[in-house]
Amino acid sequence: MNNGSKIIPEELRSSDWLKDAQMPEGEEKVAYEFADWLAAIRNNRLAEKATRLWRLFRNGTLSGFEKALVVGALLYCIAPIDTVPDLIPLVGWIDDLAVVLGVLAYLDRGNEKPQSSITTHPV
């Protein structure tokens, strides 16, 4: 894992879904089931954010740890049984959205660029 993984709490790094995400079977499950899950989801914000994760997963620019986080988040969404079952309308998507937004926030933090200083020109 890279140094950025130290930001992720130990209990999350050792969770079953993250372990599954590091296995080829986890990636295969996401690749196979994501489109069906996306078609069934009725939450536009979750679908939009999950699609952003899907694109990151597919574009090959992530480190191994980042890719495992993305796959894990998508596996969590795809799984019908999680903290709050997806069978409960609206409420069942809140935990999925929280996981997706958390992973996106983590990835975005790594891509922040320092703000340039303002330069003034003499008049």
Side-chain angles (χ1 to χ4, degrees):
M1 286 186 224
N2 66 21
N3 292 337
S5 66
K6 293 177 183 176
I7 296 170
I8 305 297
E10 176 58 36
E11 55 275 359
L12 181 59
R13 283 187 276 145
S14 63
S15 69
D16 288 339
W17 66 266
L18 191 53
K19 288 177 186 172
D20 290 344
Q22 295 173 345
M23 305 299 287
E25 297 83 15
E27 288 187 28
E28 290 171 15
K29 182 172 181 163
V30 169
Y32 183 74
E33 295 184 21
F34 182 75
D36 291 338
W37 173 83
L38 192 60
I41 198 74
R42 290 182 173 81
N43 181 306
N44 290 337
R45 185 161 187 225
L46 176 56
E48 172 191 327
K49 300 300 182 186
T51 299
R52 184 169 167 219
L53 283 182
W54 170 256
R55 288 184 183 128
L56 288 169
F57 166 65
R58 300 301 281 180
N59 76 12
T61 61
L62 301 175
S63 71
F65 179 74
E66 291 169 336
K67 187 174 182 181
L69 280 178
V70 169
V71 171
L74 293 175
L75 282 173
Y76 187 85
C77 290
I78 291 169
I81 305 297
D82 47 41
T83 306
V84 180
D86 295 342
L87 301 173
I88 303 170
L90 299 176
V91 177
W93 297 318
I94 291 173
D95 61 325
D96 294 350
L97 184 59
V99 168
V100 168
L101 290 175
V103 171
L104 284 172
Y106 173 80
L107 294 174
D108 287 344
R109 182 178 25 208
N111 292 326
E112 288 179 1
K113 295 178 183 167
Q115 292 186 2
S116 61
S117 59
I118 299 174
T119 57
T120 58
H121 299 284
V123 180

